[in-house]
Amino acid sequence: MNGIRIALVLTVLWAAALGRSAAEEPRVLFLTTSEQFSHGPIFREDGQPGVADVALAALAKQMDLPYTSSKDADLINAAELAKYKLVIFYTQGDLTKPNSTETSVMEDTGVADLIAWIKAGGGFIGFHSATDTFDTPAPEPTPYIQMLGAEFRTHGSQFEGTLKVVDAGHPTMAHVPDGWKLHEEWYLFQEFNKKAMHVLALLDPGEAGRKQEIYQIPPYPVIWCSAVGKGRVYYNAIGHREDIWTNKTFLKSAADAMRWALGEGPTSAEANFDAVVPPDAPEVE
């Protein structure tokens, strides 16, 4: 009888341990809602996921992370966010308004819920047009833009630019080579949160970029991170082109960013804008 009781107790403890493990297992949510313009890497055709979705799903699988992808912006609320440890945005526009994919919209409290979730320890990653989300309608940047670090302002024609890594020791930069050349649609920004953002890499437009007047400028931030409360925020302006999402170097850097945002390694997110960005770097008006 004692043996049976011991076995039952061990079974209950084992089941409880499994339950805790499942509940505590980091989960990833990839949101791809677009109010107006849906980028190629997240465009779904005939129900098939876009190349960015395929790439991140594969990375999550390699990292043994349960993964959910959705265009339903109403998932960004306190109750749903409690299910996740990492949220990734490849989004565009005001997510509380009707969108181009005719999917559910975010509640008015969604941004506040998202920021509270990050402050409590959540990890957030924004790719490319995440900075073209919740644009600033007034002189002051929106809470979302303040959290993310900057706001998209404009871009020119695509060209091959060069990344200048300014913090090679940061965990998210482990696979990003200094001098990495990429043909891409390069955003220009405004509303930099200089007091909070930790710049990781600058774009040098170089000779190719400076053929366009708007890129006749010094190097400026295109990859950065920050600490928001107990949480971590990372942004990468790269990701417009579909071929980027099959680039091995980019995918390695995305995996590094995911691990960092999930809390692996040191935060290393002290504000450094003034120390690493040329003083005349542009904020486009």
Side-chain angles (χ1 to χ4, degrees):
M1 183 64 69
N2 287 341
I4 294 175
R5 288 177 179 172
I6 292 173
L8 286 172
V9 170
L10 290 175
T11 300
V12 170
L13 291 174
W14 177 72
L18 285 180
R20 287 196 301 272
S21 177
E24 295 170 1
E25 190 172 23
R27 297 181 62 194
V28 179
L29 172 63
F30 183 37
L31 184 68
T32 58
T33 308
S34 301
E35 180 195 355
Q36 298 167 331
F37 178 73
S38 185
H39 287 71
I42 59 170
F43 185 74
R44 292 181 181 177
E45 189 170 5
D46 298 327
Q48 297 302 307
V51 63
D53 199 346
V54 172
L56 291 180
L59 291 180
K61 184 177 181 180
Q62 292 170 13
M63 298 162 68
D64 292 323
L65 299 173
Y67 174 85
T68 299
S69 174
S70 180
K71 293 185 180 294
D72 292 323
D74 65 349
L75 291 176
I76 305 302
N77 65 72
E80 286 293 326
L81 288 169
K83 302 175 183 178
Y84 297 96
K85 179 62 178 174
L86 173 62
V87 171
I88 304 173
F89 272 25
Y90 193 140
T91 52
Q92 185 277 325
D94 186 339
L95 306 186
T96 66
K97 294 181 179 179
N99 54 64
S100 61
T101 51
E102 299 182 348
T103 51
S104 60
V105 302
M106 185 186 292
E107 297 288 337
D108 290 339
T109 58
V111 170
D113 286 348
L114 175 65
I115 294 173
W117 172 83
I118 295 170
K119 288 181 176 179
F124 183 87
I125 292 175
F127 284 112
H128 196 55
S129 60
T131 47
D132 191 23
T133 303
F134 293 113
D135 294 348
T136 301
E140 294 297 321
T142 63
Y144 171 86
I145 292 298
Q146 288 180 314
M147 175 276 293
L148 188 55
E151 178 184 355
F152 162 77
R153 180 61 181 87
T154 191
H155 67 78
S157 301
Q158 297 180 24
F159 63 91
E160 185 180 76
T162 303
L163 288 186
K164 298 183 64 176
V165 175
V166 296
D167 187 356
H170 196 275
T172 63
M173 292 287 104
H175 292 97
V176 178
D178 187 32
W180 186 23
K181 296 182 181 297
L182 278 173
H183 190 86
E184 179 61 302
E185 177 186 86
W186 296 107
Y187 278 5
L188 290 163
F189 303 96
Q190 62 186 9
E191 304 292 357
F192 284 118
N193 191 349
K194 300 176 183 179
K195 295 181 179 180
M197 64 193 297
H198 181 85
V199 180
L200 297 166
L202 310 174
L203 172 70
D204 184 352
E207 184 178 346
R210 294 188 179 99
K211 292 178 181 178
Q212 304 178 55
E213 184 176 357
I214 61 172
Y215 294 108
Q216 293 174 7
I217 51 180
Y220 63 93
V222 289
I223 306 176
W224 61 79
C225 67
S226 63
V228 178
K230 297 179 181 178
R232 299 180 176 190
V233 173
Y234 169 93
Y235 173 75
N236 192 327
I238 300 169
H240 173 83
R241 295 170 55 92
E242 293 184 39
D243 61 311
I244 293 292
W245 291 91
T246 59
N247 182 294
K248 292 182 179 179
T249 299
F250 176 75
L251 293 178
K252 287 179 181 178
S253 73
D256 290 337
M258 291 169 68
R259 294 188 185 94
W260 177 83
L262 284 166
E264 290 189 23
T267 303
S268 301
E270 300 81 7
N272 68 346
F273 191 101
D274 292 336
V276 301
V277 179
D280 49 353
E283 288 200 43
V284 179
E285 301 297 338

